[in-house]
Amino acid sequence: MTDHKYRCTACGYVYEPDAGDSPSGIEPGTPFEKLPDDWTCPVCGVGKDFFVPVIEEA
């Protein structure tokens, strides 16, 4: 896994770095922290500040 997943608190979309966001031109393997500042949730359109890290239990 490249980096932590992040969940949109507005709609529940999960950004997965290993998948990227190809419709927005984000290549697979791009960590959340490296997303452009103007990147928005592809589902509901809110900004990065609405995302929280997903805590995965072992």
Side-chain angles (χ1 to χ4, degrees), residues 8-29:
C8 177
T9 59
C11 73
Y13 167 81
V14 175
Y15 175 76
E16 298 187 33
D18 288 340
D21 179 17
S22 59
S24 297
I26 306 300
E27 294 291 324

